[in-house]
Amino acid sequence: MKEVAEAAGVSMMSVSNVLHNRPNVGEVLRERVLKQVKELGYVPNRSAQELAGVSYVRFGLLYTNVRNPFIASVFAGSLTAASRLRADISIHLANIDNPAALRKTIRQMADSGIEGLLLPSPVAEAAAQAFKRKPLPIPAVAIAPGFPVPGMASLRCDEQQAAFEVVSALLDLGHTAIGHLAGPTSQSGCIARHNGYLAALRARSIEPRPEYVVKSEFKFQEGVQAADVLLELEPRVTAIFAANDTLAASVMAAAHRRSIAVPGTLSVVGYDDSPTAEYVWPGLTTVHQDFEALTERAVNVLHKNVIAWRNDQSFRSDQDVVLPYEIVRRPSIGKAPKAVIERRTSSTLRSAT
Amino acid sequence: MKEVAEAAGVSMMSVSNVLHNRPNVGEVLRERVLKQVKELGYVPNRSAQELAGVSYVRFGLLYTNVRNPFIASVFAGSLTAASRLRADISIHLANIDNPAALRKTIRQMADSGIEGLLLPSPVAEAAAQAFKRKPLPIPAVAIAPGFPVPGMASLRCDEQQAAFEVVSALLDLGHTAIGHLAGPTSQSGCIARHNGYLAALRARSIEPRPEYVVKSEFKFQEGVQAADVLLELEPRVTAIFAANDTLAASVMAAAHRRSIAVPGTLSVVGYDDSPTAEYVWPGLTTVHQDFEALTERAVNVLHKNVIAWRNDQSFRSDQDVVLPYEIVRRPSIGKAPKAVIERRTSSTLRSAT
DNA sequence: CTGTTAGCGCATTCAT
DNA sequence: ATGAATGCGCTAACAG
């Protein structure tokens, strides 16, 4: 920096001021300085800045499961966003089944100088639960929860709306007997998706039938069994909205085993646009969320909140930022089979298969 | 640090010496100092250390594909290992299809002060290729390649041996007609697995039959088609070793569709122990590698190499560290069906199904 | 609007 | 074996 100052014929202080966009610097100087900065390829020394009082934010990121297909996007997104902000980020595994342990982990992070928490979905809800009585010690942001999480900011897609839309697409194709293979209610996203499913039916004055909804964990075989239950119902469903792509794959497997044509006889919709959505045959219509972009936004939001919180430790933000999703159409859905549409007027037309 | 020094009645210098395990410090002082360090909860200020000359290592991590199920483990492993070493790590997306671009990316990282490269498998090979003529500008380590990568250190499991072992397990169960659903040859791990398959057969004096090996990309449907080819062969294979778990799932789907019982009539083995291995039915016998541990070791090895390289810029290491794998037995394999064992003596016994 | 002074927390060098 | 002085690169507070 000294070199830059000398080259530009000013003092170091002015250089510093220019670099920080401070108001008290003349136009003439500013340009001269910026020019030298470029030419000399000057880049400020972060350690010196920190030592001199600038304090960069340190974020903490808590995750539960490395095997979650989206955690890598969350890692990547937070890392790139954090490096842009010159922020540090330390990543830890958290146990969400033990509220006391989770509380302890979070307190320790706060004590160790971490000023903001990035909490991907199941962790966010668990943390909110663990700190139900007292507020969180530091600002936090929930990444991709199904609903806003109390006590922290939330960055999410409107999953309920997405489910509504995708089920409406099935309705537009003439389907009326639409089943839902629901995911575990411990995941708030699954609740949102279920709600969206119900709302879409009601919006067309179709009263949802409880037996058309079957729950399953996110395991392939359990999903196949649940799908079997749905496929044995009479009158048979002509479409199934699965709570995620794995479960949609289960539905397809169950359908193939029964020689039910997809999408000819059964339309299938998933959620998440995970790799399986492409790999499965036929390609799966599903809902895509850009986790990496969402996470980057989350980091930026959290950063602002941390700055505000530095000025006023009582600062809390529970802003809810909703980002767009995208419905990815692949061949797994088609028009409702004709026999079924007719069944609406004469329900006896159809005989047992 | 000053406080610690005063509390222990010594100078700051002695505290520093104690903390760095320097030889020139008396036993008496050492203990007094350490006690105060604990009591006051002193933790050295990294920025000050750096400013005063200590330079922590900065690693770069290049990845190709967020959707790779193991990249999250690689992220997590490098982050935890790096934080233990007080090292920085910056993660970037790389394009491995364009050698020139990759070269440029790596050069830029080196110029920006990064002193070591963490290269998960397909990137490592691409980087070696891109720097075939000139050596890499900084030390690098390949994470989980199929074979040692020239020009850099390698941390890997012996995939060829693992494949050998798992195919031998099939042979022990009486299988002799064993097919291999091979993965893309662009992945060195797949080549190693294929080699292991061949070696296992030859070790039992079974000459591998070329038609028993079918190649496929890591896509579900392509795998199903490839599996169909294998299952149509006469005499039919009684076991299939798939190059990864996705392809093994494809084999199972193809088998189910043909009503071939697994493991009754067909045994199936995968590789990677990815989530699908558990989810699939029946549970998949597969090879487990601990990517997180492997990555942590990789960071430590790279760290040492970087230190050596600092002293001598011409230092190069291509050490090859081989870590253990684990064969996970699940119900997808069983004894070879009897009819087939008999077929070895009277090959006409079996009629078309 | 611009320049000067002082010090952030530590390690290195030299002296004791 | 231990301690005192000096400076790393930068910014905050002040003086001009």
Side-chain angles (χ1 to χ4, degrees):
Chain A
M1 177 157 127
K2 194 157 54 183
E3 294 180 20
V4 174
E6 284 171 5
V10 298
S11 77
M12 281 174 58
M13 209 44 235
S14 298
V15 178
S16 176
N17 285 334
V18 169
L19 262 44
H20 289 265
N21 292 317
R22 299 234 173 73
N24 54 341
V25 58
E27 266 309 314
V28 214
L29 276 199
R30 154 168 273 108
E31 297 205 9
R32 261 202 313 204
V33 169
L34 286 177
K35 188 183 159 212
Q36 290 303 327
V37 167
K38 288 247 165 179
E39 287 196 3
L40 298 178
Y42 166 76
V43 45
N45 177 315
R46 183 198 161 116
S47 295
Q49 290 182 310
E50 268 193 313
L51 194 54
V54 178
S55 94
Y56 292 110
V57 176
R58 286 184 54 207
F59 296 120
L61 169 52
L62 255 32
Y63 69 99
T64 4
N65 181 4
V66 227
R67 310 191 87 147
N68 178 313
F70 301 110
I71 193 65
S73 302
V74 173
F75 285 176
S78 13
L79 262 2
T80 62
S83 84
R84 240 198 310 274
L85 296 168
R86 312 203 68 182
D88 260 351
I89 168 156
S90 64
I91 300 187
H92 289 287
L93 188 61
N95 175 6
I96 59 170
D97 297 323
N98 182 342
L102 184 57
R103 244 188 328 259
K104 195 177 154 201
T105 309
I106 288 179
R107 290 235 173 81
Q108 279 178 348
M109 295 183 92
D111 290 342
S112 79
I114 283 174
E115 299 178 295
L117 250 26
L118 293 160
L119 306 175
S121 174
V123 187
E125 289 91 340
Q129 199 60 35
F131 285 88
K132 210 181 173 91
R133 315 189 54 177
K134 299 175 184 254
L136 281 156
I138 49 177
V141 56
I143 296 177
F147 305 99
V149 177
M152 63 187 79
S154 297
L155 260 105
R156 60 190 185 98
C157 297
D158 190 336
E159 302 206 4
Q160 183 164 334
Q161 179 60 29
F164 182 96
E165 207 174 300
V166 93
V167 171
S168 296
L170 291 172
L171 291 161
D172 289 343
L173 288 167
H175 297 274
T176 54
I178 302 175
H180 178 43
L181 185 43
T185 46
S186 59
Q187 308 241 341
S188 62
C190 292
I191 300 177
R193 294 165 201 182
H194 185 187
N195 287 353
Y197 159 81
L198 297 176
L201 295 180
R202 292 203 176 108
R204 306 278 175 115
S205 310
I206 297 176
E207 190 50 34
R209 303 175 59 160
E211 68 271 26
Y212 277 2
V213 177
V214 179
K215 241 173 239 160
S216 167
E217 294 289 314
F218 286 151
K219 308 214 171 189
F220 185 79
Q221 189 54 25
E222 195 178 330
V224 172
Q225 288 167 358
D228 277 335
V229 172
L230 277 176
L231 293 176
E232 270 161 13
L233 293 175
E234 285 292 342
R236 192 153 80 191
V237 295
T238 64
I240 294 179
F241 168 47
N244 79 357
D245 294 343
T246 314
L247 291 181
S250 299
V251 170
M252 286 190 174
H256 290 155
R257 203 147 69 184
R258 291 164 177 261
S259 304
I260 297 173
V262 177
T265 311
L266 181 74
S267 290
V268 181
V269 170
Y271 204 106
D272 279 345
D273 197 22
S274 63
T276 37
E278 282 181 273
Y279 290 175
V280 121
W281 188 87
L284 190 63
T285 292
T286 187
V287 179
H288 177 87
Q289 323 190 39
D290 187 340
F291 278 88
E292 202 164 333
L294 191 142
T295 302
E296 290 186 32
R297 293 271 321 248
V299 173
N300 291 329
V301 166
L302 182 57
H303 186 256
K304 281 187 194 130
N305 291 346
V306 166
I307 301 301
W309 172 82
R310 279 184 178 175
N311 297 326
D312 171 14
Q313 299 279 81
S314 73
F315 174 85
R316 290 286 177 282
S317 166
D318 59 347
Q319 66 190 287
D320 176 33
V321 182
V322 178
L323 262 43
Y325 52 85
E326 191 189 344
I327 295 193
V328 182
R329 284 234 182 196
R330 295 202 187 86
S332 70
I333 65 173
K335 276 196 205 163
K338 200 144 180 265
V340 176
I341 293 179
E342 281 166 1
R343 196 176 58 208
R344 290 184 74 182
T345 47
S346 98
S347 67
T348 53
L349 204 147
R350 198 166 181 278
S351 60
T353 312
Chain B
M1 177 156 126
K2 194 158 53 184
E3 294 180 20
V4 175
E6 284 171 4
V10 298
S11 77
M12 281 174 58
M13 208 40 241
S14 300
V15 178
S16 178
N17 284 335
V18 169
L19 262 45
H20 288 265
N21 292 318
R22 299 233 171 74
N24 55 340
V25 59
E27 266 310 314
V28 214
L29 277 198
R30 155 168 271 109
E31 296 206 8
R32 259 199 316 200
V33 169
L34 285 176
K35 187 182 162 212
Q36 289 304 326
V37 167
K38 287 247 167 178
E39 286 197 3
L40 298 178
Y42 166 76
V43 46
N45 177 316
R46 181 193 163 121
S47 295
Q49 289 182 312
E50 265 192 315
L51 195 54
V54 178
S55 96
Y56 291 110
V57 176
R58 286 182 56 205
F59 296 120
L61 168 53
L62 254 31
Y63 69 100
T64 6
N65 181 5
V66 227
R67 310 193 88 148
N68 178 312
F70 302 109
I71 192 65
S73 302
V74 173
F75 285 175
S78 15
L79 262 1
T80 61
S83 84
R84 241 197 309 274
L85 296 167
R86 311 202 68 182
D88 260 350
I89 169 157
S90 66
I91 300 187
H92 289 288
L93 188 62
N95 176 6
I96 57 170
D97 298 323
N98 182 342
L102 184 56
R103 244 187 327 258
K104 196 177 151 198
T105 309
I106 289 179
R107 290 237 172 81
Q108 280 178 350
M109 294 182 91
D111 290 341
S112 79
I114 283 174
E115 299 178 294
L117 250 25
L118 294 160
L119 306 176
S121 174
V123 186
E125 288 91 342
Q129 199 59 36
F131 285 88
K132 209 180 175 87
R133 314 188 55 177
K134 298 172 184 257
L136 282 156
I138 48 177
V141 55
I143 297 177
F147 304 99
V149 177
M152 62 186 81
S154 298
L155 260 107
R156 59 189 185 97
C157 298
D158 190 338
E159 302 205 3
Q160 183 165 332
Q161 179 60 30
F164 181 96
E165 206 174 302
V166 92
V167 171
S168 296
L170 290 172
L171 291 161
D172 289 342
L173 288 167
H175 297 275
T176 54
I178 302 176
H180 178 44
L181 186 42
T185 46
S186 58
Q187 310 243 339
S188 61
C190 292
I191 299 176
R193 294 165 201 181
H194 185 187
N195 287 353
Y197 159 81
L198 297 176
L201 294 180
R202 293 202 175 109
R204 307 278 174 116
S205 310
I206 298 176
E207 191 49 33
R209 304 175 59 160
E211 69 270 26
Y212 277 1
V213 177
V214 179
K215 242 173 236 160
S216 167
E217 294 288 314
F218 287 151
K219 308 214 169 190
F220 185 79
Q221 189 54 24
E222 196 178 329
V224 172
Q225 288 166 359
D228 277 335
V229 172
L230 277 176
L231 293 176
E232 269 160 15
L233 294 174
E234 284 293 341
R236 193 153 81 192
V237 296
T238 64
I240 294 178
F241 167 46
N244 81 356
D245 294 344
T246 314
L247 291 181
S250 299
V251 171
M252 286 191 174
H256 289 155
R257 203 148 67 182
R258 292 165 177 261
S259 304
I260 297 173
V262 176
T265 312
L266 181 75
S267 289
V268 181
V269 170
Y271 203 106
D272 279 346
D273 197 23
S274 64
T276 35
E278 282 181 274
Y279 290 176
V280 121
W281 189 87
L284 189 64
T285 292
T286 187
V287 179
H288 178 87
Q289 325 191 37
D290 188 340
F291 278 88
E292 202 164 332
L294 191 143
T295 302
E296 291 186 33
R297 292 273 319 249
V299 173
N300 291 330
V301 166
L302 182 57
H303 186 257
K304 280 186 194 130
N305 290 346
V306 167
I307 300 301
W309 172 83
R310 278 185 180 174
N311 296 327
D312 171 14
Q313 298 279 84
S314 73
F315 174 85
R316 291 285 177 283
S317 165
D318 59 349
Q319 66 190 284
D320 176 32
V321 182
V322 178
L323 262 45
Y325 53 83
E326 191 188 344
I327 295 191
V328 182
R329 285 234 181 196
R330 295 204 186 87
S332 70
I333 64 173
K335 275 196 208 164
K338 200 145 180 264
V340 175
I341 293 178
E342 282 166 2
R343 195 175 58 208
R344 289 182 75 182
T345 47
S346 99
S347 67
T348 54
L349 204 147
R350 198 163 179 278
S351 59
T353 313

Short mmCIF file of all heavy atoms in Angstrom, two decimals, chain B residues 1-16 19 32-43, chain C residues 8-10:
data_model
loop_
_atom_site.label_atom_id
_atom_site.label_comp_id
_atom_site.label_asym_id
_atom_site.label_seq_id
_atom_site.Cartn_x
_atom_site.Cartn_y
_atom_site.Cartn_z
N MET B 1 -1.90 -12.48 25.00
CA MET B 1 -0.63 -13.14 25.29
C MET B 1 0.13 -12.39 26.38
O MET B 1 0.74 -12.98 27.25
CB MET B 1 0.24 -13.18 24.03
CG MET B 1 1.60 -13.78 24.25
SD MET B 1 2.28 -14.43 22.73
CE MET B 1 3.84 -13.61 22.68
N LYS B 2 -0.02 -11.06 26.34
CA LYS B 2 0.65 -10.26 27.34
C LYS B 2 0.14 -10.66 28.73
O LYS B 2 0.93 -10.84 29.66
CB LYS B 2 0.38 -8.79 27.08
CG LYS B 2 1.29 -7.86 27.85
CD LYS B 2 1.38 -6.48 27.19
CE LYS B 2 0.00 -5.89 26.96
NZ LYS B 2 0.07 -4.60 26.24
N GLU B 3 -1.18 -10.79 28.83
CA GLU B 3 -1.77 -11.16 30.11
C GLU B 3 -1.20 -12.48 30.61
O GLU B 3 -0.86 -12.62 31.79
CB GLU B 3 -3.28 -11.28 29.98
CG GLU B 3 -3.96 -9.94 29.68
CD GLU B 3 -5.47 -10.11 29.57
OE1 GLU B 3 -5.99 -11.12 30.08
OE2 GLU B 3 -6.11 -9.23 28.96
N VAL B 4 -1.11 -13.44 29.72
CA VAL B 4 -0.58 -14.74 30.10
C VAL B 4 0.84 -14.57 30.62
O VAL B 4 1.22 -15.12 31.67
CB VAL B 4 -0.57 -15.71 28.90
CG1 VAL B 4 0.10 -17.02 29.28
CG2 VAL B 4 -1.99 -15.97 28.43
N ALA B 5 1.62 -13.78 29.91
CA ALA B 5 3.01 -13.58 30.31
C ALA B 5 3.08 -12.98 31.70
O ALA B 5 3.84 -13.45 32.56
CB ALA B 5 3.70 -12.67 29.29
N GLU B 6 2.26 -11.97 31.94
CA GLU B 6 2.29 -11.33 33.26
C GLU B 6 1.84 -12.29 34.35
O GLU B 6 2.46 -12.39 35.40
CB GLU B 6 1.41 -10.08 33.25
CG GLU B 6 2.07 -8.93 32.51
CD GLU B 6 1.10 -7.77 32.30
OE1 GLU B 6 -0.04 -7.84 32.81
OE2 GLU B 6 1.50 -6.79 31.63
N ALA B 7 0.73 -12.98 34.06
CA ALA B 7 0.20 -13.91 35.06
C ALA B 7 1.23 -14.98 35.42
O ALA B 7 1.31 -15.41 36.57
CB ALA B 7 -1.07 -14.57 34.53
N ALA B 8 2.02 -15.39 34.43
CA ALA B 8 3.02 -16.42 34.69
C ALA B 8 4.34 -15.81 35.14
O ALA B 8 5.29 -16.52 35.44
CB ALA B 8 3.23 -17.27 33.44
N GLY B 9 4.38 -14.50 35.14
CA GLY B 9 5.59 -13.82 35.58
C GLY B 9 6.77 -14.00 34.63
O GLY B 9 7.91 -14.10 35.06
N VAL B 10 6.47 -14.07 33.35
CA VAL B 10 7.56 -14.22 32.37
C VAL B 10 7.35 -13.20 31.25
O VAL B 10 6.40 -12.43 31.27
CB VAL B 10 7.58 -15.63 31.76
CG1 VAL B 10 7.83 -16.67 32.84
CG2 VAL B 10 6.28 -15.91 31.03
N SER B 11 8.22 -13.26 30.29
CA SER B 11 8.06 -12.34 29.17
C SER B 11 7.21 -12.98 28.08
O SER B 11 7.04 -14.19 28.02
CB SER B 11 9.42 -12.01 28.58
OG SER B 11 9.87 -13.09 27.80
N MET B 12 6.71 -12.13 27.22
CA MET B 12 5.90 -12.63 26.12
C MET B 12 6.68 -13.64 25.29
O MET B 12 6.13 -14.61 24.80
CB MET B 12 5.48 -11.47 25.23
CG MET B 12 4.32 -10.67 25.77
SD MET B 12 4.01 -9.21 24.75
CE MET B 12 3.68 -9.95 23.17
N MET B 13 7.93 -13.38 25.18
CA MET B 13 8.75 -14.24 24.34
C MET B 13 8.73 -15.68 24.81
O MET B 13 8.62 -16.62 24.03
CB MET B 13 10.19 -13.71 24.36
CG MET B 13 10.93 -14.03 23.10
SD MET B 13 9.89 -13.84 21.68
CE MET B 13 9.90 -15.49 21.05
N SER B 14 8.80 -15.84 26.10
CA SER B 14 8.80 -17.19 26.63
C SER B 14 7.47 -17.88 26.36
O SER B 14 7.42 -19.06 26.04
CB SER B 14 9.06 -17.15 28.13
OG SER B 14 10.32 -16.56 28.37
N VAL B 15 6.42 -17.12 26.47
CA VAL B 15 5.11 -17.70 26.17
C VAL B 15 5.11 -18.20 24.74
O VAL B 15 4.73 -19.34 24.45
CB VAL B 15 4.00 -16.66 26.37
CG1 VAL B 15 2.65 -17.25 25.99
CG2 VAL B 15 3.98 -16.16 27.80
N SER B 16 5.55 -17.35 23.86
CA SER B 16 5.60 -17.72 22.46
C SER B 16 6.43 -18.99 22.27
O SER B 16 6.03 -19.92 21.56
CB SER B 16 6.18 -16.57 21.64
OG SER B 16 6.29 -16.93 20.29
N LEU B 19 4.60 -22.08 23.46
CA LEU B 19 3.52 -22.46 22.55
C LEU B 19 4.03 -23.09 21.26
O LEU B 19 3.31 -23.85 20.62
CB LEU B 19 2.67 -21.23 22.23
CG LEU B 19 1.39 -21.10 23.06
CD1 LEU B 19 1.67 -21.38 24.52
CD2 LEU B 19 0.79 -19.74 22.89
N ARG B 32 4.43 -23.42 34.09
CA ARG B 32 3.74 -22.23 34.59
C ARG B 32 2.96 -21.57 33.47
O ARG B 32 1.81 -21.18 33.61
CB ARG B 32 4.77 -21.25 35.18
CG ARG B 32 4.85 -21.29 36.69
CD ARG B 32 5.49 -20.05 37.20
NE ARG B 32 6.69 -19.66 36.43
CZ ARG B 32 7.62 -18.84 36.88
NH1 ARG B 32 7.53 -18.37 38.10
NH2 ARG B 32 8.65 -18.51 36.14
N VAL B 33 3.59 -21.46 32.34
CA VAL B 33 2.95 -20.81 31.20
C VAL B 33 1.74 -21.59 30.73
O VAL B 33 0.65 -21.04 30.57
CB VAL B 33 3.96 -20.66 30.04
CG1 VAL B 33 3.25 -20.24 28.77
CG2 VAL B 33 5.03 -19.66 30.42
N LEU B 34 1.94 -22.88 30.54
CA LEU B 34 0.84 -23.70 30.03
C LEU B 34 -0.37 -23.60 30.95
O LEU B 34 -1.52 -23.58 30.50
CB LEU B 34 1.29 -25.15 29.89
CG LEU B 34 2.21 -25.40 28.69
CD1 LEU B 34 2.69 -26.85 28.66
CD2 LEU B 34 1.48 -25.07 27.39
N LYS B 35 -0.10 -23.54 32.24
CA LYS B 35 -1.20 -23.45 33.19
C LYS B 35 -2.00 -22.16 32.96
O LYS B 35 -3.22 -22.17 32.87
CB LYS B 35 -0.64 -23.48 34.62
CG LYS B 35 -1.72 -23.54 35.69
CD LYS B 35 -1.12 -23.52 37.09
CE LYS B 35 -2.19 -23.13 38.10
NZ LYS B 35 -1.61 -22.37 39.22
N GLN B 36 -1.30 -21.07 32.83
CA GLN B 36 -1.97 -19.79 32.63
C GLN B 36 -2.71 -19.75 31.29
O GLN B 36 -3.80 -19.18 31.18
CB GLN B 36 -0.96 -18.64 32.69
CG GLN B 36 -0.42 -18.39 34.08
CD GLN B 36 -1.53 -18.13 35.10
OE1 GLN B 36 -2.55 -17.54 34.76
NE2 GLN B 36 -1.33 -18.60 36.32
N VAL B 37 -2.12 -20.37 30.30
CA VAL B 37 -2.77 -20.40 28.99
C VAL B 37 -4.15 -21.04 29.13
O VAL B 37 -5.16 -20.54 28.64
CB VAL B 37 -1.92 -21.19 27.97
CG1 VAL B 37 -2.74 -21.50 26.73
CG2 VAL B 37 -0.69 -20.38 27.60
N LYS B 38 -4.17 -22.16 29.84
CA LYS B 38 -5.44 -22.85 30.05
C LYS B 38 -6.41 -21.95 30.81
O LYS B 38 -7.56 -21.76 30.42
CB LYS B 38 -5.21 -24.13 30.87
CG LYS B 38 -4.53 -25.22 30.09
CD LYS B 38 -5.43 -26.41 29.86
CE LYS B 38 -4.79 -27.30 28.80
NZ LYS B 38 -5.50 -28.50 28.50
N GLU B 39 -5.94 -21.42 31.92
CA GLU B 39 -6.83 -20.68 32.80
C GLU B 39 -7.42 -19.45 32.13
O GLU B 39 -8.58 -19.13 32.30
CB GLU B 39 -6.08 -20.28 34.08
CG GLU B 39 -5.86 -21.47 35.00
CD GLU B 39 -5.50 -21.04 36.40
OE1 GLU B 39 -5.48 -19.81 36.65
OE2 GLU B 39 -5.24 -21.93 37.23
N LEU B 40 -6.59 -18.75 31.40
CA LEU B 40 -7.09 -17.53 30.77
C LEU B 40 -7.76 -17.83 29.44
O LEU B 40 -8.31 -16.93 28.80
CB LEU B 40 -5.92 -16.55 30.55
CG LEU B 40 -5.23 -16.09 31.84
CD1 LEU B 40 -4.06 -15.18 31.52
CD2 LEU B 40 -6.23 -15.36 32.74
N GLY B 41 -7.73 -19.09 29.03
CA GLY B 41 -8.36 -19.44 27.76
C GLY B 41 -7.73 -18.70 26.60
O GLY B 41 -8.41 -18.26 25.68
N TYR B 42 -6.43 -18.61 26.67
CA TYR B 42 -5.74 -17.87 25.62
C TYR B 42 -5.73 -18.65 24.32
O TYR B 42 -5.47 -19.84 24.29
CB TYR B 42 -4.30 -17.58 26.06
CG TYR B 42 -3.42 -17.12 24.93
CD1 TYR B 42 -3.52 -15.82 24.45
CD2 TYR B 42 -2.51 -17.98 24.33
CE1 TYR B 42 -2.72 -15.40 23.40
CE2 TYR B 42 -1.71 -17.56 23.30
CZ TYR B 42 -1.82 -16.26 22.83
OH TYR B 42 -1.04 -15.85 21.80
N VAL B 43 -6.03 -17.96 23.24
CA VAL B 43 -5.91 -18.59 21.94
C VAL B 43 -5.25 -17.59 21.00
O VAL B 43 -5.69 -16.44 20.91
CB VAL B 43 -7.28 -19.06 21.42
CG1 VAL B 43 -8.35 -18.01 21.60
CG2 VAL B 43 -7.19 -19.49 19.97
P DC C 8 -2.20 -1.90 21.17
OP1 DC C 8 -2.85 -1.52 22.43
OP2 DC C 8 -0.79 -2.33 21.14
"O5'" DC C 8 -3.06 -3.02 20.46
"C5'" DC C 8 -4.41 -2.80 20.05
"C4'" DC C 8 -4.66 -3.59 18.78
"O4'" DC C 8 -4.00 -2.94 17.68
"C3'" DC C 8 -4.07 -4.99 18.83
"O3'" DC C 8 -5.08 -5.91 19.25
"C2'" DC C 8 -3.68 -5.28 17.37
"C1'" DC C 8 -3.64 -3.89 16.71
N1 DC C 8 -2.31 -3.46 16.19
C2 DC C 8 -2.13 -3.24 14.82
O2 DC C 8 -3.07 -3.44 14.06
N3 DC C 8 -0.90 -2.83 14.37
C4 DC C 8 0.09 -2.63 15.24
N4 DC C 8 1.26 -2.22 14.74
C5 DC C 8 -0.08 -2.84 16.63
C6 DC C 8 -1.28 -3.26 17.07
P DG C 9 -4.86 -6.69 20.64
OP1 DG C 9 -6.17 -7.28 20.98
OP2 DG C 9 -4.13 -5.86 21.60
"O5'" DG C 9 -3.89 -7.86 20.18
"C5'" DG C 9 -4.34 -8.81 19.22
"C4'" DG C 9 -3.18 -9.68 18.81
"O4'" DG C 9 -2.21 -8.87 18.13
"C3'" DG C 9 -2.44 -10.34 19.98
"O3'" DG C 9 -2.33 -11.71 19.66
"C2'" DG C 9 -1.10 -9.62 20.03
"C1'" DG C 9 -0.92 -9.21 18.59
N9 DG C 9 -0.11 -8.01 18.39
C8 DG C 9 -0.03 -6.90 19.20
N7 DG C 9 0.76 -5.97 18.74
C5 DG C 9 1.23 -6.49 17.54
C6 DG C 9 2.13 -5.93 16.60
O6 DG C 9 2.68 -4.83 16.63
N1 DG C 9 2.34 -6.79 15.52
C2 DG C 9 1.77 -8.03 15.40
N2 DG C 9 2.09 -8.71 14.31
N3 DG C 9 0.93 -8.57 16.27
C4 DG C 9 0.71 -7.75 17.31
P DC C 10 -1.56 -12.73 20.55
OP1 DC C 10 -2.27 -14.00 20.46
OP2 DC C 10 -1.28 -12.12 21.86
"O5'" DC C 10 -0.19 -12.89 19.77
"C5'" DC C 10 -0.19 -13.58 18.53
"C4'" DC C 10 1.02 -13.19 17.73
"O4'" DC C 10 1.27 -11.79 17.91
"C3'" DC C 10 2.31 -13.85 18.18
"O3'" DC C 10 2.50 -15.01 17.35
"C2'" DC C 10 3.38 -12.80 17.96
"C1'" DC C 10 2.60 -11.57 17.51
N1 DC C 10 3.06 -10.31 18.13
C2 DC C 10 3.96 -9.53 17.43
O2 DC C 10 4.36 -9.91 16.33
N3 DC C 10 4.39 -8.36 17.99
C4 DC C 10 3.92 -7.98 19.17
N4 DC C 10 4.36 -6.81 19.68
C5 DC C 10 2.97 -8.76 19.91
C6 DC C 10 2.58 -9.91 19.35
#
